[in-house]
Amino acid sequence: MAEPIIRLTGLTKHFGGGENEVAALNDINIEIQRGEIFGVIGLSGAGKSTLVRCINLLERPTTGSVVVDGKEMTALSPKELRQARKSIGMIFQGFNLLMQRTALDNICFPMELAGKPRKEAVARARELLEIVDLASKENAYPAQLSGGQKQRIAIARTLAMDPQVLLCDEATSALDPKTTRDILRLIQDINKRLGITVVVITHEMKVIEEICSRVAILDHGNLAETGTVEEVFASPKSEAGRRLVYPDGVPYEMLRQEAHTARVIRVAFNGGTAYQPLIASLAIDCGVKANILGADTRNIDGRAFGTMLLGLPEDETQVAKAMAYIRSQKDITVEEVPDYHE
Amino acid sequence: MSEKLIELLMSWGINERLATSQVEYLAGYTVPFAIWETIYTTVLATLFAYVIGLPLGIILVTGEKAGIRPLPAALMKVLNTIVNLLRSVPFLILMVCVAPLSRLIVGTSIGTVASIVPLTLAAAPFVARVVESSLREMDRGVIEAAQSMGCSPWEIVTKVMLPECRPSLITGLTTATITILSYGAMAGTIGGGGLGAMALLRGHGRQETVVLYIAVIFLVVLVQIIQSIGTAVAVKTDRRIQHTQTKRRKGK
Ligand SMILES: Nc1ncnc2c1ncn2[C@@H]1O[C@H](COP(=O)(O)OP(=O)(O)OP(=O)(O)O)[C@@H](O)[C@H]1O
Ligand SMILES: [Mg+2]
């Protein structure tokens, strides 16, 4: 395989120090190939933004290496880093346009930094306005544009840098579904036409499905899994992956394939002991490792009500032991679920 | 003409001596000259206050730990303390204290020109805080976008922060100018000229009430004019506002 354009190795990021230390990223290893659209998905707080900001070093990693286009970003001097950033475009959820400049002048901004003569810059900006389909808005100020239009201008602005890579941090999260689709189309189009590598950060499965070729799943700062979108969506291997792909619960068939969860039982609590002690005593007293697949219980004055689905190992004797143990508890009923479908 | 005025003043119960001296005083070029002195002291002091205060205000924001160009914490502490110290000294006292400095810079410690030195010194930290608070309104995301495009700290300040905060900076400039104008009115105590001195020395000192009121009225008018122009420019040039709907407003 060709040399990846982005390679993150052993990337770790901690915020704060002492007691308040937050590990936002733990030992992340990702390779992103030239020309692909790579997705990073995870729940809120998973560390997605931190990850993408480590790529252009808006956030300096605590440890690990970030190589973009052959350059070790963490080793660059401030000046070299600024130079390197000029080939990494970034768009944001909040658009971040310059409010006191017209659409055209926003697009001219990076060219101004690069010292391009005004005439050439304006000509190029007009071309880019065509590409993002907003030629009629060149003299509008951002306050006069809709969210989708603002994001188009922001995209045109990064394209003015002639970037190798485009980083999108929740670029469509503030937009309605139709506008989201339009912007995603535009990003896809740019990727195809200009060969720009795109990294898409999102918490929406739809966005990944729509345009990404490969995806990484982040979970509490850990890389839960990576793979092609088809692979990951067809059979997510990690707990986090399953939660994302099946937000309403995992189909029974999939659970069966798991080595340790072959049988499913439903436990109903009718006001007896809370459920944590039950799982713990199952493990300690019976040596049975139960896997909570789903729970809808609530604690009222320390007493549990509701139902819970537990996954048990295939082993017949273990299942029998677990069932017997649970039956012996007060105010708990249990039954095996022969064919569990969500 | 002046006889009629003297009679008018006397009909208000002012004695002849005071009425005559006031009318004579006001009949000359003293009032226009006082206005001129007030304006040029204010303009020069504001200018010099910004020469010091603008960079200082920028540094107070950018030099922070989380700023775009962090400076040593000790240095920031020193700057903040100096600003606070200068701001906490009452202007009258500061004016007397900096007399040696005035002598050093302009060769004298009394008079209109000399009053520009304490004015500048008192206003610079005020200006620094005004600039600081304007720049703090800056959207962090926009600065980040600029950083992601490879902007240097200098470029961020000159091409992003200052232009983006322009309306707020203009509002701040208006406030600063008016504050300096009112400080300047106290400069009469060290022999400075202007409307303030006119009100203080002639009006209050010699109980020439009419002179006092006229000076105050002109000060009020000047403040009104500065405020109206400042607000109008700030609003007019703010691109976040859609002007098609806003009607022309007369000064408040
Ligand atoms: N500057 C910071 N200082 C301290 N903690 C931070 C900082 N930035 C992020 N964090 C923490 O790091 C973790 C990851 O945050 P991050 O913003 O990367 O999440 P995210 O996946 O982008 O979430 P969202 O989908 O809500 O944007 C969170 O626990 C957050 O509180
Ligand atoms: Mg985020």
Side-chain angles (χ1 to χ4, degrees):
Chain A
M1 206 176 245
E3 176 70 6
I5 188 159
I6 299 174
R7 185 195 281 128
L8 310 176
T9 322
L11 185 70
T12 308
K13 175 73 192 179
H14 291 199
F15 286 110
E19 279 176 27
N20 310 325
E21 181 151 340
V22 183
L25 293 175
N26 279 319
D27 190 27
I28 303 290
N29 298 290
I30 294 179
E31 290 191 349
I32 299 173
Q33 303 301 326
R34 222 169 262 279
E36 72 174 328
I37 302 187
F38 189 90
V40 176
I41 190 167
L43 299 175
S44 187
K48 308 180 295 288
S49 297
T50 311
L51 176 71
V52 76
R53 291 157 55 84
C54 279
I55 296 177
N56 60 5
L57 245 68
L58 279 181
E59 212 74 79
R60 189 163 280 276
T62 310
T63 59
S65 125
V66 178
V67 176
V68 180
D69 204 9
K71 280 195 228 45
E72 173 58 59
M73 300 288 283
T74 55
L76 299 179
S77 72
K79 199 162 166 220
E80 291 167 329
L81 177 60
R82 289 201 287 273
Q83 204 48 48
R85 278 176 178 165
K86 293 192 175 169
S87 59
I88 308 174
M90 187 170 191
I91 54 174
F92 306 81
Q93 178 172 2
F95 322 123
N96 294 342
L97 294 175
L98 297 159
M99 299 301 282
Q100 306 289 352
R101 282 182 176 231
T102 60
L104 187 81
D105 284 337
N106 262 286
I107 302 172
C108 286
F109 183 74
M111 297 187 275
E112 234 172 271
L113 295 175
K116 200 175 212 165
R118 174 80 188 163
K119 255 209 181 117
E120 283 174 40
V122 169
R124 174 87 181 113
R126 294 218 168 98
E127 277 172 36
L128 290 167
L129 276 168
E130 292 288 347
I131 291 183
V132 299
D133 210 9
L134 274 182
S136 61
K137 294 289 185 187
E138 81 170 53
N139 290 319
Y141 287 95
Q144 298 163 319
L145 298 173
S146 72
Q149 291 171 333
K150 280 186 214 159
Q151 198 58 289
R152 282 166 189 276
I153 299 296
I155 291 172
R157 183 174 67 174
T158 59
L159 291 182
M161 303 160 49
D162 285 324
Q164 300 268 321
V165 177
L166 177 61
L167 307 175
C168 313
D169 187 0
E170 305 272 9
T172 56
S173 298
L175 306 173
D176 63 61
K178 158 99 175 59
T179 316
T180 296
R181 215 164 312 120
D182 293 346
I183 295 287
L184 291 178
R185 285 275 157 279
L186 176 63
I187 292 175
Q188 200 167 32
D189 192 42
I190 286 164
N191 166 261
K192 284 220 185 78
R193 273 167 54 181
L194 309 173
I196 297 173
T197 310
V198 181
V199 181
V200 174
I201 302 290
T202 183
H203 60 264
E204 289 175 298
M205 259 358 243
K206 269 202 336 278
V207 171
I208 303 277
E209 277 175 325
E210 198 109 351
I211 62 169
C212 294
S213 48
R214 290 197 306 138
V215 62
I217 297 178
L218 268 190
D219 179 37
H220 293 101
N222 298 301
L223 186 62
E225 62 183 294
T226 33
T228 66
V229 172
E230 293 80 18
E231 270 166 27
V232 171
F233 278 31
S235 57
K237 306 233 163 9
S238 61
E239 179 66 37
R242 277 199 295 266
R243 265 204 316 273
L244 280 161
V245 178
Y246 307 106
D248 303 318
V250 182
Y252 184 54
E253 269 317 305
M254 287 207 46
L255 292 175
R256 275 207 192 284
Q257 289 163 6
E258 289 276 306
H260 300 293
T261 308
R263 309 274 289 260
V264 177
I265 57 173
R266 174 181 286 120
V267 184
F269 295 86
N270 309 312
T273 33
Y275 63 90
Q276 286 98 339
L278 179 78
I279 305 298
S281 16
L282 270 178
I284 296 163
D285 300 347
C286 316
V288 177
K289 269 205 213 114
N291 198 356
I292 302 182
L293 302 175
D296 181 18
T297 60
R298 68 202 79 230
N299 264 319
I300 300 170
D301 287 338
R303 301 185 312 152
F305 293 89
T307 60
M308 185 163 70
L309 283 174
L310 292 182
L312 297 177
E314 182 71 73
D315 189 64
E316 219 28 83
T317 53
Q318 288 220 358
V319 175
K321 227 155 108 189
M323 299 277 278
Y325 179 83
I326 296 171
R327 285 208 178 94
S328 73
Q329 303 292 308
K330 245 181 78 190
D331 294 325
I332 295 181
T333 55
V334 61
E335 56 182 350
E336 182 158 5
V337 187
D339 197 12
Y340 163 56
H341 288 294
E342 179 51 50
Chain B
M1 178 70 185
S2 24
E3 280 91 66
K4 283 231 176 83
L5 273 174
I6 293 170
E7 266 168 43
L8 177 69
L9 293 198
M10 285 169 69
S11 74
W12 291 348
I14 297 170
N15 69 39
E16 193 181 344
R17 187 185 59 78
L18 270 181
T20 320
S21 77
Q22 290 191 76
V23 170
E24 271 168 10
Y25 180 75
L26 294 171
Y29 290 108
T30 39
V31 176
F33 187 65
I35 294 176
W36 161 244
E37 273 185 316
T38 293
I39 291 174
Y40 98 70
T41 331
T42 306
V43 168
L44 282 182
T46 308
L47 191 75
F48 295 140
Y50 267 83
V51 168
I52 303 169
L54 183 66
L56 191 56
I58 293 170
I59 289 171
L60 287 176
V61 176
T62 56
E64 274 189 335
K65 200 156 148 268
I68 56 168
R69 179 76 180 77
L71 293 174
L75 178 62
M76 294 304 292
K77 187 111 199 156
V78 169
L79 286 180
N80 267 299
T81 313
I82 293 176
V83 168
N84 288 344
L85 265 178
L86 278 175
R87 288 203 62 196
S88 54
V89 179
F91 179 63
L92 265 175
I93 294 169
L94 188 82
M95 207 157 49
V96 179
C97 291
V98 299
L101 187 65
S102 310
R103 217 169 294 131
L104 200 72
I105 297 174
V106 294
T108 170
S109 62
I110 50 167
T112 308
V113 176
S115 72
I116 292 175
V117 176
L119 271 177
T120 304
L121 206 61
F126 176 76
V127 167
R129 288 291 183 218
V130 168
V131 169
E132 181 192 1
S133 81
S134 291
L135 297 185
R136 283 199 192 285
E137 288 166 23
M138 182 76 215
D139 183 350
R140 263 224 72 89
V142 177
I143 292 179
E144 253 175 17
Q147 283 174 322
S148 79
M149 287 185 265
C151 271
S152 66
W154 174 253
E155 285 167 331
I156 291 178
V157 169
T158 55
K159 287 181 176 291
V160 180
M161 291 173 82
L162 293 179
E164 285 292 295
C165 298
R166 182 186 53 217
S168 165
L169 286 168
I170 292 174
T171 309
L173 171 63
T174 311
T175 313
T177 310
I178 290 173
T179 306
I180 292 168
L181 180 86
S182 71
Y183 277 177
M186 286 184 245
T189 44
I190 58 161
L195 290 165
M198 179 174 141
L200 199 70
L201 304 180
R202 296 289 302 221
H204 181 69
R206 301 196 195 173
Q207 265 119 54
E208 295 181 345
T209 338
V210 178
V211 173
L212 177 75
Y213 285 134
I214 286 180
V216 170
I217 287 168
F218 275 111
L219 279 173
V220 169
V221 170
L222 273 180
V223 168
Q224 291 293 333
I225 292 174
I226 296 168
Q227 185 65 60
S228 312
I229 293 177
T231 309
V233 173
V235 171
K236 256 258 143 68
T237 61
D238 191 349
R239 306 304 182 190
R240 291 167 301 181
I241 303 170
Q242 277 155 44
H243 290 281
T244 41
Q245 262 122 61
T246 23
K247 270 198 183 157
R248 257 171 174 256
R249 265 175 294 180
K250 295 240 166 74
K252 277 172 260 164

